[in-house]
Structure formats: structure tokens, C-alpha cells
Amino acid sequence: MDLDHGRCWNSKDSSWRAILLLAYQSLGVVYGDLSISPLYVYKNTFAEDIQHSDTNEEIFGVLSFVFWTLTLIPLFKYVFIVLRADDNGEGGTFALYSLICRHAKLSLLPSRQLSDEALSTYKLEHPPENKNCSKVKILLEKHKCLHTALLILVLLGTCMVIGDGLLTPAISVFSAVSGLELSMSNYHHEYAVIPITCFILVCLFALQHYGTHRVGLFFAPIVLTWLLCISTLGLYNIFKWNPQVYKALSPYYMFKFLRKTRISGWMSLGGILLCITGSEAMFADLGHFSYIAIQIAFTFLVYPALILAYMGQAAYLSKHHHSIYQISFYTSVPESVRWPMIIVAILASVVGSQAIITGTFSIINQSQSLGCFPRVKVIHTSDKIHGQIYIPEINWMLMILCIAVTIGFRDTKHMGNASGLAVMAVMLVTTCLTSLVIILCWHKPPILALCFLIFFGSIELLYFSASLTKFTEGAWLPILLALFLMTIMFVWHYATIKKYEFDLHNKVSLEWLLTLGPSLGIARVPGIGVVFTDLTSGIPANFSRFVTNLPAYHRILVFVCVKSVPVPHVPPAERYLVGRVGSAAHRSYRCIVRYGYRDVHQDVDSFEAELVAKLVDFIHYDWSQAQAANPRIENEGPRSNRSSSDFRLAVIGMVDLSGPPMYQIDERPEHLSVSAGLSSVGSITDETEMEPIIPAQKRVRFSIEDEPGAAGKGKEINCGLREELEDLFNAQQAGTAFILGHSNVQAKQGSNLLRRLAINFGYNFLSRNCRGPDVVLKVPPVSLLEVGMVYVV
């Protein structure tokens, strides 16, 4: 891990002007949620557990807690420590998880390959491992139960982020609109705030399909205006009402607060913790900005503005003990500017809600790419701005649930209790994962990671315990939602792994495919047949069923595996692994398409065209390699005299064959485990499938390519090369058929009740009611061929 941070933004050529521009742009994306917390922190804190008295010990104690909480968690923990735990510039729960899985073999993802470790985004330069770090790594890798526990921890954090995406829009917009209570009678207020809030929420979610890039230009000015307004208002209240309020920043006032309020004061911490809602966005949105830009924006603008806002409210309340209204943000706003503040607050709450909704879409897309969430349709709303996605199903579900929460709770107290518990759960998960990163990735002494875990974990556990006491007052919602989502995600992930194991153990040998021919009544029809499979080697069982029922297959056959790699991004030049299945005369190929968990999947039109282009590049490459090895080869085809089990995959980049070097991988698909010999790093053993059986040798070597299709300067293109290319282009003109498996999963006889419920009812219900693989892979219906398969797992 590069502790000096930064990947692409922090180069030597970066100017301070560019950094400051990024810091300004981050206001609208990162800090919308965090900046609107002054709307409801004091109101929730004094909602029930404690009362504001003439001694001001309560309000000064709360201010002291707010100040030190903002200082320790967002500033020290996130800005100075957690932001450095980035995964190639990306942040968030899955970034930490993938980073840990790459440094220790803890991943439960199937279809692992050694070639994945050769990706430029997979490995970074690290200091040497120490002895204690190795012990921790060995312990974690040894016990499979720890792998599952780590996945459950990540899924818990993911579910709580989704819960926060449900609660934040409700509490933010409701708190902003509640300022109308000071300008209306109670009768009109009761019938105005809820409908207005619901109307704003409906408009917010209805505009999601346009993408934030269309209105994102106005996000940063709105948040900047809001921060300037609350800081100016804070200074005004400090100097007008109580200039001595700065003394409450001393931690002594926290002690006085707890000594006086005791249990009720501890329970009120559930309202105080709302001051750090949105802090996780600094880390989750790291990929859109740079470390130093987020650090500058928070340290020099957001943090001071929030502190002044909270101090100003405390100064006002210290001189207004018997206000006829409840304690709220708008009571400290002068009446002459109250309406403009309400308008700015509503706009800021919409911006904050937009950021968390986009973040929810992003984390669900990451969960889906790692096989932990049912298939949903992901729409990319911008071709230029990375990460701008829209998920229709999730959007409308969030809208319905947000409106239900607003109408059901009808006050910020219950919403705040629910939101606070979700926020603290996510922060606890981040603290635990960062502790592992400190040991496994940074190779620091375990005692340092333990100190980090104990210090920040104890603070967060204190707030989390206070939130749990409000279980019956709203905190039950994120817990119930997390249990529901975790059940769905775990069942889906479990069944996905079992399906992969079934495919793995029922795959057909390569010799079976090569023996198919006219002698067995099998015909080759014009066109390209693209067979989608989860396997990275071997022939999938659904293809054998297809040939059995329809004794014909296409002249050009391509087995395509679209897989996710535990890295945020796979460079386009390293995305395609292409190789032959059998000899050149068979016209069968294997293509493995690798995506990172934040990568944009292509639409089918560009995928089909690019697939053919990669096959063309591979054919040029393969013939040139064969002729370079044996110049006498002309029409026999590359490796036609080799064993059919000899299988190579070449990384076909988006470059000319005469350009930068590529590497090729010799694979043996009949084995479930392979080992590698890398001259630069020594011998490495890795699993490409689920279970190791027989070790076989795989070698990765780098080579500089000759000019495409040429055995040397002045020589003609090989006749066999020309014929193979002509066959490919003729097949493309005839059309492409996409062959997909349509699965029905059943639990084995004798399975326990829990497994039968999970597979027969849970997974099958989810698979029937979620998007099909053809929608996720964006296969056109007119070109789709589905093959029914029964999986007994």
C-alpha cells in the first residue's frame, strides 16, 4: 500500500489549482449528508432522555461531545487514517474487502485464476512482511470459518449502507421542511410537512434515471452556500448571545454532563452521534476525487463550518431555556432570514440525499458483481463520468420505503434513532476491516492495529450501545432490514457457489468436444455461437445438453466467461484472455472477460464487435507465434500437432500486435488446480477452481510481438491465417447466437431443513423474481438460445 496516497490525481504535474477544484467539486458529492446534520442533532438529543436546564450543563456537555466526536471520527480516523487504506484509489467496504483478499487468500469467489494476479491493478509495492504479520495471515487463511465470518461482516456493512440510503433522504428532507412549523399554526403544520416531504422525495427519486451528471453542476454551489450560511449564522449567535461558549469545547464538560445525567445522558448519545452521519462518504467516494482534495475540503471548510454551526446553536440555547418551541435548528435563525434558510436547507438536504442514493446504487452493483446480490438491471447514465449508475428496481423500492418511513415515524426522533444505528454499524465494520488492512497490507505490527481497533472501536461501541437502547423507538428498522438483506445476500451467494461447484464437477472433457463431427450426425451451421459459462476451463454441461437435443453447433464457437476480479478496475488492455479450444481447424475459442467490481459492463453491440476484434487479434498473434517458433509452418495451423489438452490463453490488449508486449498463459483445463513458475517472483501456488486435485504446471511469459500476420518482412500472409480470418468474418455476417443456461436449482435428497428452505424456496424465489442472466448480460432476445438445466446441489 502506498502510504503517501494517491494514484492518478497526485502526480507531480498536479497543480494546486486542480486540487482545489477537486476539493470544491467534492462538496456536492461527499459532504452533502454530513453538512446537513445540524438540522436535527440537538433536536434528537433533547427529544426525550435529557432536558435543557438553566445551568446549561446539558447543552454545553452535548456541544463538547459533538466537538470531540467530529474531531476524533471524521477528522482523525477517516481523513488521516482510513482514507489511506484505498484500493488503487477506490474506497468503501468492498474496497477494503478486496484489498484484504488480495493479500491473504480469504476470498470465497469462485473461478479464481493465477492470471488475475498478473493484472497491473492487482499487486502493488509493499514493505516486506514481518513475522507477526505472517502469523496473523496464516491463522486467517487456515480456518475457513474465518473466511465466512469476514464475508458476513462485509455483508453486514453493505446492508447497513443500504439502510442508510433508505433513512437519510427521509430524515434530511423531513428536518429541512420542518422549519415551516415556525411559520404556521400547529393545525396547518401537521397537514403540510408530511405531504411536502413526500412530494420532494417522489420528485427526487423520479429524477434518478436522468443521472446526477445533469444536475451535479449545481450540487457544489448549494452545499458551499449552505456551509457559509450555517457558519455565518453560528458566528452571529456566538457573538450576540454567548461569546463564552467556546469553553464548552473542553472535555471536562463531557464529564460534567455524564455525571449529572447518568443513564439518561448515555442514552442521549444516540442523538449526538448523528453529527457524523455521512462521514463514511469521504471514504466511499474516494475514487471520484483525490485524498488530498477530500482532506483539504473537510479540514479547512466543512469541519470549521460545522463546529461554528453547533457552537452557534448552543450559544443561542444557553440564553433561551424556556422557548415555546422545541429545540430545533430554526429557532436560532433570525426571523428575517428564516425563509431563505429553509429554501437553502431543503436544497442541501436534496443534495445530501442524492449522494447517499447514488452510493446505494453503487454498493448494490458491487455486491452483484461479486455474486452477493440477486441480478438487477444496471443503467449507466453517463458515458463520461465514472460510477454514474441507476438501478430501476432499487430506486422505486427505496422511494416506497422512504415514504413509508416518513409517514410511519412522522418525527425526526424515530428516524434519527434508526439512522444512527445504521451509521455506527457501518463505521464499526470499517474499523474492523481497516485493522486487518494495517496488518496484512501495510505490514505494521499487530499491536498498532489492535490500538486502532480498541481506541476507535470503543468510541463507536459506546455510541452503538446507546443506539441499541432505542430499539423500540425506531432502531429496530435498520436491524430488521439488515437481517432481511443479509439473508437474501447470503442465500444468493451460497447457491451461486453451489451452482459453480455443480458446473465444475459436471463439465465435459475437451476430448468430447473434439470428437463431435459428421460421423456422429453433428453438423456445423454458419454463424458464431457464444456460449456463456461461469467456468474458466472445460466444456460446460449446458453446451453438451444443447448439442444432445439439437445435433448442431455453429461454425465459430466461443466459450465466454464473464467474471469479476477482486480489483476495482481492470485496464481495458488486460480485460480479455483469449485462447483456442482444440486445434486451429476446429474454430473453437475460449474468451475470459474480466471486470473489476467498479467497472462498467459494455452493452451487447459493442461487446459482440469487440469480441470479434479480440479474436482477430488473437488469431494474428497465434499464427505469428507459431511461425516465429517454426518458420516452415504454413497451412497446418498453430499447434495442430500438439496434444489437445495443451491450452493457452493470451492477454489481447487494445493495442497493435507490434505495440507493447503481451503475456500468454499455458493452461491445462482438465486439472482443477495449477501452479505457476514466475521468474520474477518465484513459485506461486493458486487455485483456479474450487478444489485442488492434481498440480500441473502453468507458465506466464512475456514476449514482444512481430507485425500482425507476418512471418517476417516481405513475406506473404499465411494461407491458413487467411482462411481462419475469412471463416470468422463469414460467421459474423451470418449472425451471432448467444447460448445461456436456464437453471432450476434443487437441494439434494437428505439435505437438512435449512438447506432445503434456502435452495428450494429462497434461491428459486429470488431467481424467478429478479432479472435473468440475459438481461444482466444485455443479450438481445432475438439472438438468445436458452438451455434448461437442473442443478442438484
Side-chain angles (χ1 to χ4, degrees), residues 81-102:
I81 300 176
V82 175
L83 286 183
R84 296 178 181 270
D86 64 309
D87 182 10
N88 290 296
E90 296 289 343
T93 304
F94 276 107
L96 292 173
Y97 180 61
S98 67
L99 196 60
I100 293 169
C101 290
R102 294 210 305 276

Side-chain angles (χ1 to χ4, degrees), residues 633-653:
I633 294 178
E634 293 184 359
N635 298 328
E636 296 181 1
R639 301 184 315 282
S640 60
N641 59 342
R642 301 186 187 184
S643 171
S644 62
S645 63
D646 190 16
F647 181 75
R648 297 191 302 169
L649 290 175
V651 178
I652 304 299

Side-chain angles (χ1 to χ4, degrees), residues 339-358:
W339 276 104
M341 283 297 293
I342 291 175
I343 294 173
V344 176
I346 291 175
L347 293 175
S349 68
V350 169
V351 172
S353 301
Q354 174 63 60
I356 195 66
I357 292 169
T358 303

Side-chain angles (χ1 to χ4, degrees), residues 527-530 555-560 576-581 587-593 607-623 649-650 652-653 657 721 724-725 727-729 731-732 736:
I528 300 176
V530 178
R555 184 72 184 98
I556 302 295
L557 192 62
V558 187
F559 294 96
V560 175
Y576 285 83
L577 279 170
V578 184
R580 294 189 186 277
V581 178
R587 301 296 192 256
S588 297
Y589 310 90
R590 184 178 307 280
C591 180
I592 299 174
V593 189
F607 172 72
E608 181 182 350
E610 190 163 358
L611 177 63
V612 173
K614 299 304 178 186
L615 291 176
V616 171
D617 287 344
F618 171 76
I619 293 169
H620 278 297
Y621 166 76
D622 204 39
W623 279 90
L649 290 175
I652 304 299
L657 295 179
L721 167 63
E724 189 171 2
L725 290 177
D727 286 346
L728 177 61
F729 291 132
Q732 185 183 21
T736 303

Side-chain angles (χ1 to χ4, degrees), residues 111-113 499-513 533-545 559 590 647 667-674 688-691 693-694 789 791:
S111 65
R112 297 188 297 271
Q113 289 181 288
K499 281 182 61 181
Y500 183 83
E501 290 178 346
F502 182 91
D503 280 335
L504 183 62
H505 295 135
N506 290 276
K507 66 182 181 180
V508 183
S509 66
L510 180 61
E511 284 72 18
W512 172 85
L513 175 67
T533 174
D534 292 330
L535 298 177
T536 57
S537 63
I539 309 303
N542 64 344
F543 179 72
S544 66
R545 180 176 290 268
F559 294 96
R590 184 178 307 280
F647 181 75
E667 300 248 13
R668 303 203 178 195
E670 69 272 16
H671 299 323
L672 301 185
S673 177
V674 296
T688 56
E689 307 289 3
M690 294 301 298
E691 300 175 358
I693 294 181
I694 304 173
M789 282 288 296
Y791 289 80

Side-chain angles (χ1 to χ4, degrees), residues 237-504:
N237 286 324
I238 290 170
F239 287 108
K240 182 174 183 179
W241 300 110
N242 192 350
Q244 302 299 315
V245 73
Y246 70 90
K247 295 180 180 179
L249 302 183
S250 169
Y252 173 68
Y253 282 88
M254 291 192 292
F255 171 74
K256 290 180 65 177
F257 172 78
L258 292 177
R259 184 178 62 182
K260 180 178 180 179
T261 56
R262 299 182 181 276
I263 296 296
S264 59
W266 167 63
M267 295 175 65
S268 70
L269 295 179
I272 295 174
L273 68 86
L274 294 176
C275 69
I276 53 176
T277 57
S279 300
E280 187 73 20
M282 287 191 289
F283 184 47
D285 293 322
L286 181 60
H288 300 287
F289 305 98
S290 67
Y291 168 79
I292 192 170
I294 292 179
Q295 185 182 45
I296 288 174
F298 182 80
T299 306
F300 296 104
L301 179 60
V302 179
Y303 177 74
L306 291 175
I307 296 300
L308 289 174
Y310 287 115
M311 289 177 65
Q313 288 187 64
Y316 176 87
L317 294 173
S318 67
K319 300 299 182 181
H320 297 79
H321 305 100
H322 306 290
S323 175
I324 60 174
Y325 299 106
Q326 285 185 322
I327 293 177
S328 71
F329 170 80
Y330 291 105
T331 58
S332 63
V333 179
E335 190 172 352
S336 59
V337 295
R338 188 167 294 162
W339 276 104
M341 283 297 293
I342 291 175
I343 294 173
V344 176
I346 291 175
L347 293 175
S349 68
V350 169
V351 172
S353 301
Q354 174 63 60
I356 195 66
I357 292 169
T358 303
T360 303
F361 291 158
S362 177
I363 201 164
I364 288 177
N365 183 47
Q366 294 172 40
S367 303
Q368 178 184 238
S369 67
L370 296 178
C372 295
F373 200 86
R375 296 179 295 264
V376 292
K377 184 178 182 180
V378 179
I379 300 173
H380 300 275
T381 58
S382 175
D383 296 329
K384 298 180 180 179
I385 302 178
H386 165 68
Q388 294 292 331
I389 62 174
Y390 168 67
I391 304 177
E393 303 98 311
I394 302 301
N395 182 67
W396 301 121
M397 287 181 184
L398 283 177
M399 185 192 76
I400 293 171
L401 291 175
C402 273
I403 293 174
V405 167
T406 303
I407 297 175
F409 285 159
R410 304 180 70 87
D411 62 12
T412 56
K413 176 185 142 182
H414 290 81
M415 296 181 195
N417 293 337
S419 179
L421 189 138
V423 168
M424 293 317 303
V426 175
M427 290 186 174
L428 278 169
V429 170
T430 300
T431 300
C432 295
L433 295 178
T434 305
S435 301
L436 290 177
V437 169
I438 292 174
I439 299 175
L440 300 175
C441 306
W442 297 351
H443 306 303
K444 299 297 182 183
I447 187 65
L448 187 64
L450 185 63
C451 291
F452 174 85
L453 179 64
I454 292 175
F455 180 75
F456 291 107
S458 59
I459 297 173
E460 292 160 358
L461 276 176
L462 176 66
Y463 283 117
F464 186 76
S465 63
S467 296
L468 282 178
T469 62
K470 305 300 181 64
F471 180 83
T472 58
E473 300 174 14
W476 58 268
L477 181 60
I479 295 177
L480 182 64
L481 184 65
L483 289 175
F484 178 72
L485 289 174
M486 281 190 67
T487 302
I488 291 177
M489 296 170 78
F490 196 80
V491 165
W492 188 268
H493 182 75
Y494 175 78
T496 301
I497 295 294
K498 292 301 178 183
K499 281 182 61 181
Y500 183 83
E501 290 178 346
F502 182 91
D503 280 335
L504 183 62

Side-chain angles (χ1 to χ4, degrees), residues 8 103 185 217 494 509 729:
C8 57
H103 289 81
S185 64
L217 181 66
Y494 175 78
S509 66
F729 291 132

